[in-house]
Amino acid sequence: MAGHSKWNNIKRRKGAQDAKKGKIFMKHAREIFMAAREGGGDPEMNANLRLAVDKAKSDNMPNDNIDRAIKKATGNLDGVNYEEFTYEGYGPNGVAVMVTVLTDNKNRTAAEVRHAFNKNDGNLGENGCVAFMFNRKGYIAIDRSQTDLDEEEFLLEVIEAGGEELETSEEQYEVYTEPEDFTSVQSELENNGHAIITAEVTMVPTTYSQLDEEGVGKMLKLIDALEDNDDVQEVHHNLDADEEVLEKLS
């Protein structure tokens, strides 16, 4: 899974932009709505809802907004029927892309996603065309400066908590888990006093596509176009970009 840090840096870059645009709360609200509708409105009894709420809170979504989304879902609000779909395709130079959407109009969203691909040197593919290049994993990033444990000590702690793999950078420890173990591993690390930067169940690439600066610029435009769509919840990809290039293009 080497290279995930670079991929996650691109996600953080986009997350900051989405927050400035004011769209991220709406995306969180939809995710909370779906989780509550499918599994009930109690986060203690609904792991998917608990994860959605935690993600929303990490982006400073107000509690009133979170409660409103849960109440709408559990109140069987008439006229609201969101469905989740995943679209797969290729970005510039063959970068693998998976797009998760929540929509009340599949035809509209499919057309808009296809348009975003076509307009930005990509193309929408068939289901399964790139899914094999990703694994669904729990991902937890820990602020390394806030722990006294060295890498070997922390690895033992991760193993005891049920984690699957550990990667280390100067700034952080990155823990990977099986999706079903994610919540328990996160709780164990939190209980041990570690400062968690990011915690999510996501799609992690098994291989990466390296592009030059021009290619990275095109790929970032495609990501922008997709994430500007209100129905798009997540954009997963296997772009590997140097920090210097990302900084220059930000």
Side-chain angles (χ1 to χ4, degrees):
M1 294 183 189
H4 182 271
S5 294
K6 295 179 181 178
W7 164 77
N8 202 53
N9 285 340
I10 296 172
K11 290 192 69 179
R12 286 199 295 271
R13 167 191 176 273
K14 282 302 302 157
Q17 288 185 356
D18 280 345
K20 290 178 182 177
K21 295 173 185 174
K23 292 190 174 185
I24 198 165
F25 288 173
M26 180 173 62
K27 293 177 184 288
H28 283 312
R30 288 189 178 188
E31 189 172 359
I32 291 168
F33 180 95
M34 285 291 292
R37 192 180 68 175
E38 293 175 359
D42 183 357
E44 295 301 319
M45 303 298 293
N46 183 344
N48 288 334
L49 177 58
R50 182 166 64 251
L51 177 58
V53 169
D54 287 345
K55 286 169 64 178
K57 288 184 176 180
S58 71
D59 284 318
N60 299 313
M61 185 172 179
N63 288 331
D64 286 348
N65 296 38
I66 294 172
D67 292 340
R68 192 178 306 119
I70 294 174
K71 288 176 180 177
K72 283 183 178 180
T74 55
N76 298 316
L77 195 67
D78 291 337
V80 178
N81 185 30
Y82 289 124
E83 295 180 278
E84 183 176 63
F85 299 98
T86 299
Y87 298 100
E88 301 178 38
Y90 300 92
N93 301 100
V95 174
V97 183
M98 296 184 68
V99 184
T100 303
V101 306
L102 282 177
T103 180
D104 58 354
N105 188 326
K106 180 182 179 181
N107 292 335
R108 179 200 66 220
T109 303
E112 291 174 348
V113 169
R114 184 180 300 278
H115 176 72
F117 273 95
N118 292 342
K119 188 177 179 180
N120 292 279
D121 295 321
N123 60 283
L124 194 60
E126 299 293 329
N127 287 343
C129 68
V130 300
F132 68 94
M133 300 184 194
F134 297 83
N135 286 326
R136 187 167 178 79
K137 295 289 181 181
Y139 171 75
I140 304 167
I142 303 288
D143 186 349
R144 193 174 179 182
S145 68
Q146 300 299 310
T147 178
D148 295 329
L149 299 180
D150 62 25
E151 184 174 357
E152 185 174 345
E153 292 173 322
F154 188 71
L155 176 59
L156 291 176
E157 190 170 301
V158 168
I159 293 172
E160 290 177 357
E164 182 182 45
E165 186 176 348
L166 173 67
E167 288 188 2
T168 305
S169 67
E170 291 184 5
E171 298 83 16
Q172 61 190 31
Y173 289 125
E174 295 179 311
V175 179
Y176 297 90
T177 77
E178 290 298 327
E180 58 270 21
D181 298 328
F182 169 76
T183 300
S184 61
V185 174
Q186 179 187 5
S187 297
E188 184 71 17
L189 294 176
E190 285 178 335
N191 291 338
N192 290 343
H194 297 298
I196 293 180
I197 302 169
T198 303
E200 61 183 345
V201 177
T202 187
M203 301 299 290
V204 178
T206 57
T207 60
Y208 289 81
S209 296
Q210 285 192 320
L211 302 182
D212 59 18
E213 183 175 322
E214 180 182 0
V216 172
K218 291 180 179 180
M219 184 61 196
L220 293 181
K221 287 181 179 179
L222 173 58
I223 296 172
D224 285 342
L226 289 168
E227 293 197 345
D228 278 345
N229 188 311
D230 291 341
D231 296 332
V232 172
Q233 295 296 113
E234 294 282 352
V235 178
H236 304 288
H237 56 80
N238 70 341
L239 171 65
D240 185 356
D242 290 334
E243 285 293 325
E244 295 79 7
V245 173
L246 290 176
E247 288 294 330
K248 183 177 180 180
L249 295 173
S250 294

